[in-house]
Amino acid sequence: MNIEDELWAVRNALIGKVDLEFDRLQRMLGNAQSTPIERTLPLSGNPAVFKGTKPAAVLFGSERVEVSSWKMVFAVVLARCNQSKQHHAALMELRERAAGKCRVFLSRSPDHMKRPHQIDLELYAETHYGTETLLHILCNRLLAPVHYDYSGVSIALTAR
C-alpha cells in the first residue's frame, strides 16, 4: 500500500468514527431537536463515504440546490460545469472519449445508453450507476479532465 492509499484509509476510518459519534449524539438528543440535523460532506472526498446515504442538497458555497437523488446531484453539478463556455467546450470534446468498460460516459446522443440524462444539446451523460461509481465518474472522469474546480462543492445528506 502506498502512502496516498494509507492516508485515504486513515481519513476514511476517522470519518467513520466521527459519523458514529455524531449518530450517537443525535440519538441522545432524540425528540429534543425539532429539526433534523444534516451532515455536509465535500464532493471532493472519497465517493465511498456517500454509499448508503441520501442527498438533500448540493451546496455551491452558500448557494443551496435541493436534490432528492444521486442522479440529481450528478445532473446539477454537471449542468453547473456546463454553464461556463470553456467547460462546455471541453465537455463537448470529451464526448465519446470518456468511457468505461462497456459504455461511454458522455455522448452526443442517448443511443446505446441505459439511463441517459441530457445536459445540453447533443450532450448526454450516462447515469446508470450506483452512488459511489456515479460520483467517481462525475469527479474523476468528467470534471477533472475539463479542469472544473469542484473543491467548493458539498453535499448535504438527509438526517437518518
Side-chain angles (χ1 to χ4, degrees):
M1 182 182 298
N2 66 32
I3 190 73
E4 188 175 327
D5 291 340
E6 194 170 327
L7 285 172
W8 275 107
V10 169
R11 179 184 181 276
N12 288 335
L14 288 172
I15 287 172
K17 288 178 182 178
V18 168
D19 284 348
L20 286 173
E21 187 63 19
F22 184 86
D23 291 343
R24 185 186 68 78
L25 290 172
Q26 191 173 6
R27 281 191 304 274
M28 281 177 48
L29 288 173
N31 293 332
Q33 267 322 87
S34 60
T35 59
I37 300 171
E38 287 182 339
R39 289 188 304 154
T40 303
L41 297 173
L43 180 62
S44 59
N46 184 348
V49 300
F50 296 108
K51 196 171 185 177
T53 62
K54 184 166 173 54
V58 178
L59 307 172
F60 297 96
S62 62
E63 182 185 347
R64 181 181 176 99
V65 179
E66 300 292 326
V67 295
S68 60
S69 69
W70 289 109
K71 180 181 174 180
M72 285 180 68
V73 169
F74 180 92
V76 165
V77 174
L78 202 52
R80 179 65 60 103
C81 171
N82 189 57
Q83 287 176 348
S84 152
K85 287 183 182 181
Q86 171 191 352
H87 294 118
H88 170 75
L91 286 170
M92 296 301 265
E93 285 293 316
L94 201 54
R95 291 179 306 185
E96 316 303 340
R97 293 190 347 206
K101 293 178 183 175
C102 303
R103 293 172 276 171
V104 294
F105 303 136
L106 285 179
S107 180
R108 64 182 68 247
S109 80
D111 300 341
H112 308 294
M113 289 186 163
K114 287 189 176 192
R115 200 176 310 155
H117 179 80
Q118 186 170 12
I119 303 300
D120 206 336
L121 186 65
E122 293 190 3
L123 183 61
Y124 293 85
E126 176 63 82
T127 62
H128 187 71
Y129 298 101
T131 301
E132 185 176 353
T133 304
L134 189 65
L135 295 178
H136 172 78
I137 290 168
L138 174 65
C139 296
N140 300 312
R141 302 295 303 273
L142 300 178
L143 299 179
V146 300
H147 306 290
Y148 181 76
D149 181 14
Y150 58 93
S151 61
V153 179
S154 296
I155 308 298
L157 303 173
T158 58
R160 293 182 215 184

